[in-house]
Amino acid sequence: MVIALFCTCISQPLCAQTVEDRARAAAAAAATRSGSSDALRSNYLTPGLSGQMISTVDGSRSFAPSLACRKTRTLLEILAQPASTGDLANLHISQDTDFDGSFDRIQSLSQNISGICANGVVSCHPGSWNQCHYFEWGLDAGHALKLAEVEMPQLAGCYCINNSCGTNLAWANMPDILKDLGGGMVAALTTADPRIGVAEAQISGPTIAYVGAQSTACATSPDLNQTAYRAAPAALQGDAAAMTVGNRVFEALAASPAGSGKVEQARQCTVEREITLTSATFDDIVSISGSVQSVASCGADCRRYRVGGTGSCNNPPPTFALRFLANKPERIVSAKIVELHTADWLQARIDGQPVAYAAKRPWLTNALPSGDCGVGDLYHAAPDYDFTPALKSGAVTVDARIRATGANKTGYMILEVRVDLRCDLAERLVDLCSGYAADTACRLRDEDVDGVTTFRNGVGTGLRPLTSTRMFGSDSCAVQLTRDFFLRARTYVCVVDTGNPPQPDLSRGAYIIDHSTETVLADQTRSASGEVRQTSRAFALPDRGSVPACEAICKTRAPHVSTAAAPAGVVGAQQNDPSGWDIFYHACLPGSICPTAPGEQVVSTCGCLDDFPEAVVMMQSVRLAGADMVCTSATQ
C-alpha cells in the first residue's frame, strides 16, 4: 500500500510543488472566489440570501445556508422605456412584498421622468427642464413603492436625462440610470423595513431585477429593537451601562487581567440645530368632489366655488351637492356661503340641514314651499353663513335645492374657503453629547463650532464663532434664521477604570533584539526552577524573491457632459462649456496593457503613477469653494 501511494504521488505534479507554490495556488483559488466585490456577491452573498448552494474554495463540498427567514429571487423588477424626448415615459415597477417568489404589486408610474436623483426623480415638461416637479421615493401602507412631491433640496445627486441636456442620454446610459433608479427604491424599502436585505442586481436591456431576502432576527414586525437607537442614539450609552449591571460575562471580563487598569477612550458626538420647514398647497389642505360649476381664485389662499344648476316646479327640486374633505383641518381659516342667486326659490343646506335661502319667503325646512313657483322672479341673498367648524371636523357636504321656472330656471350659490399657506418652522437641538457631558469620568478635549475651533486638546482657544445667518427651504417655503451656532462637533475623553493589570515580562524579547544579528539568533529562556539559560544558533531568512515596486496602473479619460441638476437648474446650462472629462485609473493587465473602456483615452500609460499633488489641489479647491459659499450665501 505504501509503495502504491508513493508511485501515485510521483505521477502527480502536486507532489513536486514547493510549499510556496502550493500557498500561491491556494491564494489564487481564494482570490478567484472572493477577490472582488462581484465575486463575493455571486459566490457567497447572493446564494446565501436566496437559499442557493455555496461551495468551498476548492469546490469539493457545497451546502445550502439558511441566513434569511424569507427569500425571493424577484424582490423588485424595474422596466424603463425612454420616449423620443429623452424622458422616461413609462416606468413599470413589479414587487414581491410577501417574499413568495411572485409579484403581487405591479404599477406603472404616470409621472414623466426627466431627471434621476439618488432618492427620487424629477418630472418636467417633456424634452425640457421647465415646469419641473420633484418627487421622493417612499412606501404606502401596503409596502408598495410610491412617489411623494417634495422640494428639490430634499433630493440628492440629481441629474438630467432628457433632450434638453443632450441627445439619446437615456438609452446611452441605461445601465447607470437603472442602477440609480433601483438604488433609490431599494433605499426606501430598507429604510421602511430594516429586515429587508438586497443581494444582487441583474440588468438586462431596459430592465433591472433585484434578489432579496428578509432577515434581522426573523421578527414579525419591521419595528425592531435593533433599530431603536437610530431614532434615539443618545440612549445607547445609558442602555449599555444598564445591561452591564449584574451581567456575569461582563463582570468576568472586567475582573480579568485584560480588563483591569485605567485607559482613556475618545468619543465623538454632536450638538446640532435641526430645522424643519413644512408648507402645503391649497389642494393639500382641502379637496372637493361632487357638483361644481366653476372654481375661481380670490387670492393665493382663497377659492370660490360655484354650485348650482337648473331647477323645476313640476318635479321634486333637484339637489346639487359639493363635498369638502379637510386633509389638514388645522390650516383651514374660514368656509362660508357668501352668495345665493335664483329664479323663484333656492335653499342652501349643510349636511342636509337648511341654513340659508334666496326666495320671496323664508324656506328653512326640508318641506317644499307653497305657491309662487313659475313666476320667474329673480332673488339674491348674501347670507355670509359660516360653516368652518363643520369643515374642520373632517368632511362636510354643502348642497343647493332649486325650485324655479320661467325663461331662466337656474340658480346657484357661491362658497368661499380660505386656508393658511404659511411656511411652518420647527426647530430643536439634537444633543448627542449630553451623556458624556454629565459623566464625571469624561472631559471635553476638542470642540468645533460651525467651523471655528473653540477647544483643542482640552484647552480653550479663546475663539468664538460670530452669530451666523443661514437660509433654509426653497423659494416657495424659505426662512432665514440667525443663531449663535448651528453645529457643535465635540470629542470627549473618558477614563475607563480597569484596575491595575500586571506588567508583562519583556526581558526575553529585549535580549533577542539586542543580541541577534542577521546570521545569529540569540535567545534567553527561564526554566521552571527560575534558572536563566542563554543560547544562540545560526539563522538565515529564506530568499523571498523580488516584488514589483508598485502595482502598475494607468490613467484614462472619457468625455463627459455635465447633466447634474440643482435648484437653479441644470448645472451645464450655467457653464460656458458644459463639456468636460471623467478621469479613471485602472490596474494594468499582464504585459503592461491598459484595460480601457469604450470611449476612454489613455492619458498616462502603465507604471508607478503618483497623482497625489493633483488630488490635493482638487480637494483644497473644493474645500475653499465650499467655505466661500458658506460665507456669502446669506446677507452679511
Side-chain angles (χ1 to χ4, degrees):
M1 179 64 69
V2 174
I3 296 175
L5 289 174
F6 179 74
C7 293
T8 302
C9 186
I10 292 177
S11 64
Q12 299 293 328
L14 181 63
C15 296
Q17 289 182 332
T18 64
V19 174
E20 182 174 347
D21 293 336
R22 294 167 61 186
R24 290 184 181 277
T32 301
R33 297 189 61 82
S34 60
S36 66
S37 58
D38 291 337
L40 279 172
R41 183 169 56 250
S42 60
N43 293 323
Y44 299 109
L45 183 59
T46 298
L49 286 181
S50 57
Q52 302 175 23
M53 300 298 290
I54 294 179
S55 61
T56 56
V57 173
D58 59 359
S60 61
R61 299 179 62 185
S62 60
F63 62 94
S66 181
L67 302 179
C69 309
R70 294 189 296 174
K71 41 194 170 288
T72 175
R73 191 71 186 169
T74 52
L75 171 67
L76 175 66
E77 185 175 275
I78 307 164
L79 171 64
Q81 294 180 326
S84 59
T85 60
D87 306 85
L88 298 185
N90 181 28
L91 189 63
H92 192 74
I93 304 173
S94 304
Q95 290 179 247
D96 180 8
T97 60
D98 54 7
F99 293 85
D100 64 351
S102 61
F103 294 130
D104 49 46
R105 297 277 182 166
I106 300 175
Q107 58 178 315
S108 293
L109 298 184
S110 59
Q111 285 85 356
N112 178 70
I113 298 178
S114 310
I116 311 295
C117 305
N119 57 337
V121 297
V122 181
S123 178
C124 307
H125 185 74
S128 72
W129 202 256
N130 301 321
Q131 304 174 17
C132 295
H133 297 269
Y134 309 98
F135 299 90
E136 183 179 21
W137 290 113
L139 298 184
D140 61 16
H143 285 81
L145 287 161
K146 68 173 185 177
L147 287 173
E149 188 164 2
V150 297
E151 299 294 338
M152 190 177 187
Q154 294 179 240
L155 303 179
C158 299
Y159 59 91
C160 170
I161 63 171
N162 65 16
N163 290 349
S164 67
C165 303
T167 305
N168 203 30
L169 291 176
W171 278 120
N173 300 278
M174 183 57 69
D176 293 330
I177 291 176
L178 289 173
K179 290 178 183 178
D180 293 340
L181 279 171
M185 297 183 196
V186 168
L189 285 171
T190 54
T191 299
D193 191 344
R195 299 172 299 171
I196 296 177
V198 176
E200 184 180 13
Q202 300 172 341
I203 297 177
S204 177
T207 303
I208 185 170
Y210 288 90
V211 177
Q214 190 182 83
S215 56
T216 313
C218 298
T220 58
S221 171
D223 299 325
L224 305 171
N225 292 333
Q226 294 93 323
T227 62
Y229 296 115
R230 178 180 181 181
L236 181 61
Q237 182 182 6
D239 290 352
M243 288 293 294
T244 62
V245 177
N247 187 290
R248 290 181 296 176
V249 175
F250 178 81
E251 291 175 350
L253 289 174
S256 67
S260 60
K262 290 186 178 181
V263 296
E264 284 190 340
Q265 295 180 349
R267 299 170 182 176
Q268 297 177 337
C269 60
T270 58
V271 181
E272 186 172 7
R273 194 177 303 275
E274 186 178 274
I275 307 297
T276 304
L277 297 176
T278 56
S279 63
T281 63
F282 198 103
D283 294 325
D284 293 334
I285 300 171
V286 178
S287 56
I288 63 169
S289 62
S291 176
V292 59
Q293 290 181 325
S294 64
V295 180
S297 174
C298 47
D301 60 348
C302 176
R303 285 186 184 176
R304 286 196 168 192
Y305 302 90
R306 173 170 167 159
V307 180
T310 302
S312 174
C313 284
N314 301 322
N315 299 311
T319 300
F320 304 91
L322 179 61
R323 184 166 180 80
F324 291 92
L325 179 63
N327 301 318
K328 298 179 182 293
E330 70 281 359
R331 284 183 171 265
I332 296 175
V333 177
S334 65
K336 297 180 180 180
I337 303 174
V338 294
E339 296 180 29
L340 301 176
H341 300 264
T342 186
D344 294 332
W345 301 84
L346 184 146
Q347 182 186 75
R349 301 191 302 177
I350 302 294
D351 287 334
Q353 180 64 37
V355 296
Y357 66 91
K360 184 175 183 179
R361 293 188 300 278
W363 184 21
L364 291 174
T365 66
N366 285 320
L368 296 180
S370 61
D372 297 332
C373 187
V375 297
D377 292 339
L378 299 178
Y379 295 96
H380 309 277
D384 201 33
Y385 182 83
D386 191 337
F387 62 95
T388 306
L391 179 54
K392 282 191 172 184
S393 66
V396 64
T397 300
V398 184
D399 64 65
R401 297 175 70 200
I402 302 174
R403 193 164 186 259
T405 188
N408 186 8
K409 299 186 294 182
T410 62
Y412 66 89
M413 63 179 174
I414 302 295
L415 311 176
E416 181 182 283
V417 178
R418 291 185 178 274
V419 298
D420 181 4
L421 298 179
R422 290 180 302 173
C423 186
D424 287 343
L425 169 68
E427 178 180 349
R428 66 167 184 160
L429 278 179
V430 181
D431 189 354
L432 304 183
C433 299
S434 57
Y436 302 133
D439 192 342
T440 57
C442 299
R443 60 181 176 84
L444 180 62
R445 187 182 71 183
D446 300 310
E447 182 185 56
D448 183 284
V449 182
D450 291 342
V452 178
T453 302
T454 58
F455 264 81
R456 180 182 289 120
N457 295 326
V459 179
T461 62
L463 301 176
R464 292 292 182 270
L466 297 175
T467 299
S468 58
T469 301
R470 294 187 182 181
M471 182 71 72
F472 295 89
S474 60
D475 294 339
S476 61
C477 182
V479 166
Q480 194 175 58
L481 294 180
T482 301
R483 297 292 184 268
D484 54 350
F485 80 93
F486 288 92
L487 176 64
R488 294 179 183 269
R490 292 174 173 174
T491 299
Y492 284 86
V493 176
C494 300
V495 177
V496 180
D497 188 358
T498 56
N500 297 310
Q503 296 298 320
D505 184 5
L506 304 179
S507 59
R508 182 183 181 188
Y511 182 85
I512 294 173
I513 294 175
D514 294 340
H515 296 81
S516 298
T517 66
E518 295 180 357
T519 58
V520 176
L521 177 62
D523 196 3
Q524 176 179 280
T525 59
R526 187 183 300 272
S527 64
S529 61
E531 180 184 359
V532 176
R533 181 166 174 257
Q534 297 174 346
T535 60
S536 63
R537 61 185 176 87
F539 172 75
L541 289 172
D543 183 16
R544 301 306 302 159
S546 60
V547 295
C550 68
E551 181 181 15
I553 61 173
C554 59
K555 179 180 179 181
T556 64
R557 69 176 186 178
H560 170 76
V561 177
S562 178
T563 59
V570 179
V571 175
Q574 315 295 325
Q575 299 173 330
N576 294 331
D577 184 3
S579 301
W581 299 93
D582 286 334
I583 303 299
F584 304 94
Y585 291 89
H586 301 283
C588 292
L589 301 176
S592 297
I593 299 175
C594 183
T596 57
E600 291 184 20
Q601 305 174 8
V602 177
V603 178
S604 300
T605 58
C606 294
C608 295
L609 303 184
D610 181 11
D611 285 350
F612 184 74
E614 181 180 349
V616 170
V617 171
M618 291 181 179
M619 291 187 291
Q620 184 74 344
S621 300
V622 171
R623 187 187 72 82
L624 294 176
D628 181 66
M629 286 188 291
V630 171
C631 180
T632 60
S633 62
T635 303
Q636 299 298 311

